[in-house]
Amino acid sequence: MSRLLTATPGQTVGPFFGYALPFDRCNELVPPGTPNAVQLHGVVADADGRGVPDALLEIWQADADGSIPNATGSLHRDGWTFTGWGRATTDEAGRYTFTTVIPGVSEPVAAPFILITVFARGLLNRLFTRAYIPGKQLENDPLLNTLTPERRDTLIATRDQTGLRFDIQLQDAQDKAETVFLRYPAHQQ
């Protein structure tokens, strides 16, 4: 096939995530209480600042050493195999949570991050973003260095008593800028 085919048009997703997509401990990349376990949590909010109650988030990340996991069985949580992938739904207030580890640096010049994909009602296609881990390595990250300071801040998680907080703003709101969303070459708008 030398001809490039047109992508199938997107169509809105949800609000039926609760029926087919969740699986046992889907938001636990590591079991709670595991040494070095942290919570990645936050709120997915709309343009009015209200939490989106029926969003679904997926994350992919490196392990604590910066290695990209290649273990099979992402849907099976055996308690010791870190697959680097998880899925969580938001509650009625738009809150989500994952139990995971802080990812290590996977590329010498890049800062560690967790890749997040957002599915929600009204979205014709999923959205991609990153939750960067706070620290001095942020100043050299190639992607972050292409953004203005205000836009850059929407990609950096904050530390709190349980781990990392990363709020996702789907559109600009009165007091919050829209989270930076990424587009990959094969991803349609």
Side-chain angles (χ1 to χ4, degrees), residues 43-46 57 96 114 116 118 127-132 147 150-157 166-173 176-182:
V43 173
V44 178
D46 64 17
L57 285 77
Y96 70 91
I114 298 171
I116 300 175
V118 180
L127 301 174
F128 299 98
T129 192
R130 291 179 176 184
Y132 279 91
L147 301 171
E150 306 81 47
R151 302 298 294 143
R152 182 178 195 228
D153 289 345
T154 70
L155 292 178
I156 302 171
F166 185 72
D167 292 334
I168 299 169
Q169 187 68 41
L170 296 179
Q171 294 177 305
D172 283 335
K176 280 193 150 183
E178 177 180 287
T179 299
V180 170
F181 295 105
L182 309 171

Side-chain angles (χ1 to χ4, degrees), residues 42-172:
V43 173
V44 178
D46 64 17
D48 294 324
R50 292 187 306 254
V52 177
D54 55 1
L56 176 98
L57 285 77
E58 292 182 347
I59 64 171
W60 290 270
Q61 70 171 85
D63 66 15
D65 297 327
S67 299
I68 306 296
N70 58 9
T72 59
S74 294
L75 299 180
H76 177 69
R77 301 293 195 224
D78 61 16
W80 62 85
T81 305
F82 183 77
T83 62
W85 181 83
R87 179 181 283 159
T89 56
T90 55
D91 66 12
E92 289 299 314
R95 294 182 302 251
Y96 70 91
T97 186
F98 291 94
T99 305
T100 188
V101 295
I102 301 287
V105 176
S106 57
E107 295 179 25
V109 296
F113 64 88
I114 298 171
L115 177 67
I116 300 175
T117 303
V118 180
F119 301 85
R121 61 182 151 82
L123 295 177
L124 295 180
N125 289 298
R126 63 190 178 229
L127 301 174
F128 299 98
T129 192
R130 291 179 176 184
Y132 279 91
I133 310 308
K136 65 179 182 172
Q137 70 279 14
L138 295 173
E139 54 197 49
N140 296 321
D141 187 83
L143 174 69
L144 290 176
N145 283 329
T146 66
L147 301 171
T148 64
E150 306 81 47
R151 302 298 294 143
R152 182 178 195 228
D153 289 345
T154 70
L155 292 178
I156 302 171
T158 56
R159 293 188 189 275
D160 66 12
Q161 65 276 11
T162 61
L164 298 170
R165 181 174 178 113
F166 185 72
D167 292 334
I168 299 169
Q169 187 68 41
L170 296 179
Q171 294 177 305
D172 283 335

